[in-house]
Amino acid sequence: MLHRRVRINVHFLSYYGDYAGSLLPADSATSSQTVLGQAQLATSHDEAMKTARSIVDSAAFNVRRFLGRRELHEPYERLRAEVKSAAAREELMAAEGNFRRSAWEVLDTQLPEWLQLAGRHRRPPSNAGNAVISYINGLVYARVLSVLRLTPLHTGVAFLHSSTERHRHSLALDLAELFKPLFAERILLRLAGRSQLKPQHFDTDAHEAMLSDSGRKLIIQTVRDELGATISHRTLKRKVSYDELMYLDALALTRRCLEGEAYKPFRVWW
C-alpha cells in the first residue's frame, strides 16, 4: 500500500491568544535562488524601504476600507505623507502606530460599550474587544505562515519587521499586516452587530480578559468560514477564496524576488 505524505503545520497560541510557536515539516519549498534574491532585496536599504512602504500603505488602506473611508481620510493622508518621507523602518512603524490609534478610536464608535477597545492592549488583553482582536490576529499570522511555507520564500527574511529577531517568522509578520483588517476588525464588527458575541464568551477580571472555550470555538469557526469565502478576482477573472488571496500575495512577492516584477501588496477592491 502506498502512503501519501501530508505536510501539516501545527501552530500554538498562548493563553491570551498570541502566537506562541509552530511545529513545521522539516522539508519546505524554499529555494536557494529565491532566498538569495530575497536577501539581496531585504539588505538593500532602498529596495527594502520601497517594499516596506508599500506594505504599510496597503495595510492602512485596508483598515480604512473596513472602518470608514470618511472617518479615516485625514489619518490615512497623514500616514501616506509620513510613509513617503520615512528614511528608516522605525519611522514607518511609528507612522503605522499613529494611524492604528486613530483607527481603533473609530472602531470603538461602532462597537457596543462592553466590546470597545479603549486603546490596544495585547499582553494581556485588557478587555473583551482586545481579546477578540488578539486572538484573530494570532490565527491570521499562523495562516500566513502556513501559506509562506508553500512558496520558495524564507519566512525569516523580512522587509518591514526585523529579520534579526530570534524565534519569529518576520516575513509572516509583514504579510499578516495586510490581512488582519480583513479578518480581525471586520469579524469583530460583524459579530458585535449581529449580537453573536456574548459576555459568556469571555473570562474577565479587573485587569485582563480572554476568550472562554465557547468564545474560542466561535472565533475559530468564524475565521475558518471567512477563509473559505470567495470573491471575484479582477485579474484572474475567477472566484478566489480569502485563503487563496494570501497565497497570491506571497506569490507576487516571490516574483519580485526572482524576476524583479513590481510587488503590489494586497488591497481590498470590493
Side-chain angles (χ1 to χ4, degrees):
M1 178 182 296
L2 295 177
H3 295 277
R4 184 170 63 91
R5 184 172 58 176
V6 178
R7 298 175 58 213
I8 298 176
N9 301 300
V10 180
H11 305 287
F12 301 93
L13 301 184
S14 72
Y15 183 76
Y16 295 110
D18 294 317
Y19 174 81
S22 299
L23 286 176
L24 303 173
D27 58 321
S28 73
T30 302
S31 75
S32 58
Q33 183 181 3
T34 304
V35 173
L36 284 173
Q38 183 182 353
Q40 287 174 353
L41 289 175
T43 54
S44 166
H45 180 268
D46 290 346
E47 292 298 332
M49 284 296 294
K50 182 178 180 180
T51 299
R53 287 190 183 99
S54 64
I55 290 173
V56 171
D57 190 348
S58 294
F61 178 93
N62 294 338
V63 170
R64 176 174 174 258
R65 171 64 183 84
F66 290 122
L67 295 188
R69 299 179 185 179
R70 179 172 57 84
E71 295 83 351
L72 287 173
H73 173 73
E74 290 186 10
Y76 178 60
E77 291 303 316
R78 283 198 301 272
L79 173 130
R80 294 186 69 188
E82 292 170 357
V83 163
K84 186 177 181 180
S85 63
R89 297 184 192 188
E90 293 75 15
E91 295 177 38
L92 290 176
M93 300 290 277
E96 180 187 37
N98 291 334
F99 175 81
R100 285 282 188 172
R101 278 187 284 275
S102 297
W104 294 323
E105 291 176 1
V106 171
L107 176 60
D108 277 353
T109 67
Q110 303 173 41
L111 292 170
E113 184 176 357
W114 74 280
L115 279 174
Q116 291 176 7
L117 274 64
R120 188 75 175 95
H121 306 280
R122 299 173 176 80
R123 299 181 181 89
S126 59
N127 51 41
N130 272 284
V132 172
I133 294 292
S134 289
Y135 198 78
I136 296 177
N137 283 348
L139 294 175
V140 171
Y141 171 85
R143 186 56 202 154
V144 169
L145 176 55
S146 292
V147 165
L148 285 171
R149 295 277 293 179
L150 300 175
T151 73
L153 295 167
H154 193 292
T155 60
V157 179
F159 301 90
L160 176 61
H161 294 84
S162 174
S163 297
T164 59
E165 187 176 351
R166 295 184 61 193
H167 310 305
R168 298 303 296 270
H169 300 275
S170 300
L171 187 61
L173 290 173
D174 281 5
L175 299 193
E177 294 294 331
L178 303 168
F179 293 95
K180 287 176 182 178
L182 181 60
F183 292 90
E185 288 90 347
R186 183 164 164 266
I187 286 176
L188 176 57
L189 284 172
R190 182 198 302 166
L191 294 179
R194 296 177 179 176
S195 298
Q196 290 177 271
L197 279 172
K198 308 290 185 181
Q200 59 263 32
H201 289 130
F202 302 89
D203 296 326
T204 62
D205 59 28
H207 305 291
E208 60 187 52
M210 64 174 289
L211 288 160
S212 64
D213 287 343
S214 62
R216 284 192 292 271
K217 289 178 182 178
L218 172 63
I219 295 301
I220 289 171
Q221 185 59 56
T222 303
V223 171
R224 183 179 298 165
D225 291 342
E226 284 298 289
L227 286 168
T230 60
I231 189 72
S232 181
H233 198 283
R234 296 182 298 180
T235 303
L236 298 179
K237 306 300 181 183
R238 63 175 176 84
K239 288 188 176 297
V240 299
S241 68
Y242 290 175
D243 195 26
E244 189 176 357
L245 287 174
M246 297 180 181
Y247 181 61
L248 291 172
D249 195 80
L251 288 183
L253 186 56
T254 301
R255 289 193 293 272
R256 174 70 184 97
C257 296
L258 273 177
E259 304 166 10
E261 183 176 324
Y263 170 59
K264 298 180 180 179
F266 166 71
R267 288 192 179 214
V268 177
W269 65 82
W270 62 93

